[in-house]
Amino acid sequence: MRFTPFVAMATLAASNYVAAESARYIVHFADQGAAHTARSASRTAVTARHAADTPRHLRSLAAGGEVFELTNDDASRLATLPGVTSVEEDVLLTPNTIVDSLWKRQWYMHDPKVGVDAEVAWKYTRGAGAVVAVLDTGITPHPEFDGQLLPGYDFISDAGAARDGDGRDADPTDMGNWSDPGECLSSLGKASTWHGTHMAGLIVARAGNRAGIIGLAPEAKLIPVRVLGRCGGRTSDVADAIVWASGGDVPGVPSLGKRVDVINLSMGTTGACHPALKRAIEQARSRGTVVVTSAGNDQKNVNTNTPANCPGVVAVAALGRSGAMASYSNFGRGVTLSAPGGNLGERGADDILSTWDIGKRGRERSVFGYRGGTSVASPQVAALVALMRSADPDIGVDEVTAQLVDNARPLPGPCPKGCGAGLMDAGATVDAVVEDRGRRRP
Ligand SMILES: [Ca+2]
Ligand SMILES: [Ca+2]
Ligand SMILES: [Ca+2]
């Protein structure tokens, strides 16, 4: 006797009045006719028993296959029957579990009140295809950067500030920006900050490698550009680096050939927007590169701090752990929006955890460390821009700013002096970008 799926279904139905463990299975049949009869048989069986127990046909799949609710025993038996080519469990897929061991300490990513809602954004993208340039002290080797970096450049033209023995070169390794007592306007001297390494981790620290943290755009690529050395960096070097990273030509430096999506400038000084910076930023914007910068840590109006006061930048103020404006942050109408910056206090855990090096002068060993300030707020917005460009590569510079502003969350704490549109919201912003893309290109 030819055992058809119809008979199989009827047999299974009749034998299963005893409740058993049931689950959803995707059953593939040898042909459409067999599938049809199996569907009919299961429907009949269910109707006859006025019950929802097995076998119950749920739906047909677009790519072939029928979804049934079956007991585990029936599923095994069904798989052996002629006319049935395969039976697979309709397993539940879950979002990738976060295994990076310091994730819980990354409150700025997931705190329901003051976090940036990274996981909602990651439902759409983790930044694949987007490129971020971080103009900073350079970069140090760190396991969180394996496979995450593209070749960068060292724009420090003064060998003494660069500490690498020459002027501009193709190696953006951070040689340390420590200073001796009496140097760099500091009577005590300072340890190296590994500032660029900390910024880079917030953007592209690897996801899923168990160790450490996750950047907000872990599938984006980062170009480390060194502009800050001993005692800081020159406007002329920063301006050239902005032009270069946005795909422009800088004499004596091999062209990048294309623009990056976003430049992060976690730096500043008191004064008006310098004409050289203003022109470089204008050029970058005209080529499609978004320029994100920290508002500054002077407790002053942001219009006193440059490049945050340059036209066209996204200026980022910092919120403390409570969600109120951080005590050190600059503020005012020139702030575009805010991001978590931590308290810059004694309790490290209230600051922003990222990649670091343990060396006090030269680099020694890769570690993780907490740092606060508008410096750490800015790269989170830059990483969000990378997610936005990954979700919609065609989104324009001004549209990026508009979406950041429109989708910022109301401030979770007070900021009477002006923190811009609110707290950056990665989830809501990427969601809006995806929706907008759908409207433009249905
Ligand atoms: Ca050099
Ligand atoms: Ca170098
Ligand atoms: Ca990691």
Side-chain angles (χ1 to χ4, degrees):
M1 164 185 156
R2 187 163 165 264
F3 210 97
T4 66
F6 175 87
V7 178
M9 280 297 161
T11 309
L12 295 176
S15 66
N16 274 293
Y17 284 96
V18 179
E21 279 286 300
S22 70
R24 292 184 180 191
Y25 289 89
I26 301 170
V27 184
H28 293 268
F29 295 94
D31 57 65
Q32 275 305 311
H36 177 75
T37 49
R39 284 199 302 269
S40 309
S42 71
R43 267 201 297 274
T44 306
V46 169
T47 310
R49 285 178 289 133
H50 303 288
D53 54 348
T54 62
R56 187 160 68 106
H57 181 252
L58 298 173
R59 68 180 58 84
S60 304
L61 294 187
E66 306 292 331
V67 185
F68 287 96
E69 198 162 278
L70 297 169
T71 67
N72 298 341
D73 287 351
D74 282 351
S76 326
R77 257 182 286 165
L78 191 60
T80 66
L81 299 178
V84 175
T85 54
S86 73
V87 179
E88 57 179 307
E89 192 174 350
D90 189 7
V91 295
L92 281 174
L93 301 180
T94 54
N96 291 333
T97 309
I98 292 168
V99 297
D100 301 70
S101 57
L102 298 175
W103 170 250
K104 283 205 175 77
R105 300 195 203 178
Q106 291 187 273
W107 58 268
Y108 49 94
M109 301 276 265
H110 52 68
D111 184 282
K113 187 178 163 208
V114 299
V116 304
D117 214 1
E119 286 169 285
V120 172
W122 291 342
K123 286 181 184 168
Y124 299 102
T125 175
R126 288 186 166 211
V131 180
V132 184
V134 170
L135 277 50
D136 214 287
T137 61
I139 196 86
T140 57
H142 201 294
E144 292 285 21
F145 299 150
D146 288 351
Q148 306 293 76
L149 307 181
L150 297 175
Y153 209 80
D154 185 344
F155 276 86
I156 302 179
S157 45
D158 177 68
R163 288 199 167 114
D164 59 1
D166 58 13
R168 293 181 177 178
D169 67 85
D171 180 1
T173 299
D174 190 342
M175 305 304 288
N177 60 348
W178 84 91
S179 56
D180 284 321
E183 288 183 340
C184 307
L185 306 175
S186 164
S187 55
L188 298 174
K190 287 177 181 168
S192 291
T193 58
W194 313 116
H195 196 267
T197 291
H198 202 269
M199 304 303 113
L202 292 171
I203 301 169
V204 295
R206 290 170 64 198
N209 59 336
R210 298 201 175 268
I213 60 160
I214 308 180
L216 181 56
E219 289 176 14
K221 296 290 181 205
L222 186 139
I223 296 181
V225 185
R226 189 170 183 235
V227 293
L228 306 177
R230 177 176 155 271
C231 304
R234 294 274 174 202
T235 300
S236 50
D237 290 337
V238 176
D240 272 358
I242 291 171
V243 170
W244 179 80
S246 59
D249 291 323
V250 177
V253 181
S255 171
L256 194 54
K258 58 180 166 45
R259 62 146 176 82
V260 299
D261 292 295
V262 53
I263 289 172
N264 185 71
L265 300 171
S266 288
M267 64 181 78
T269 189
T270 303
C273 178
H274 195 282
L277 279 180
K278 186 163 179 274
R279 272 196 297 274
I281 291 167
E282 274 167 11
Q283 276 194 29
R285 284 170 44 81
S286 74
R287 286 191 283 265
T289 297
V290 179
V291 180
V292 180
T293 180
S294 50
N297 301 339
D298 317 307
Q299 303 176 289
K300 287 183 182 155
N301 193 300
V302 66
N303 62 21
T304 63
N305 193 274
T306 198
N309 59 5
C310 290
V313 298
V314 174
V316 185
L319 305 183
R321 183 67 180 87
S322 71
M325 187 188 88
S327 57
Y328 52 78
S329 183
N330 286 353
F331 48 79
R333 289 186 57 183
V335 170
T336 312
L337 79 172
S338 297
N343 292 353
L344 207 57
E346 287 178 8
R347 202 182 118 78
D350 287 341
D351 282 339
I352 306 296
L353 183 66
S354 186
T355 41
W356 210 323
D357 194 281
I358 206 166
K360 291 280 179 260
R361 293 200 157 202
R363 68 195 147 78
E364 289 174 19
R365 184 164 50 86
S366 63
V367 290
F368 298 89
Y370 291 95
R371 182 192 298 276
T374 57
S375 267
V376 293
S378 178
Q380 297 175 70
V381 173
L384 173 51
V385 174
L387 296 179
M388 296 164 81
R389 273 278 169 79
S390 172
D392 183 359
D394 297 331
I395 185 170
V397 170
D398 290 325
E399 201 186 345
V400 164
T401 306
Q403 292 279 24
L404 288 171
V405 165
D406 290 350
N407 296 290
R409 212 181 308 159
L411 285 169
C415 178
K417 292 172 177 173
C419 288
L423 168 61
M424 67 174 275
D425 189 326
T429 306
V430 176
D431 186 67
V433 168
V434 169
E435 194 176 302
D436 237 44
R437 180 193 66 193
R439 261 201 297 276
R440 270 206 320 276
R441 296 194 297 270

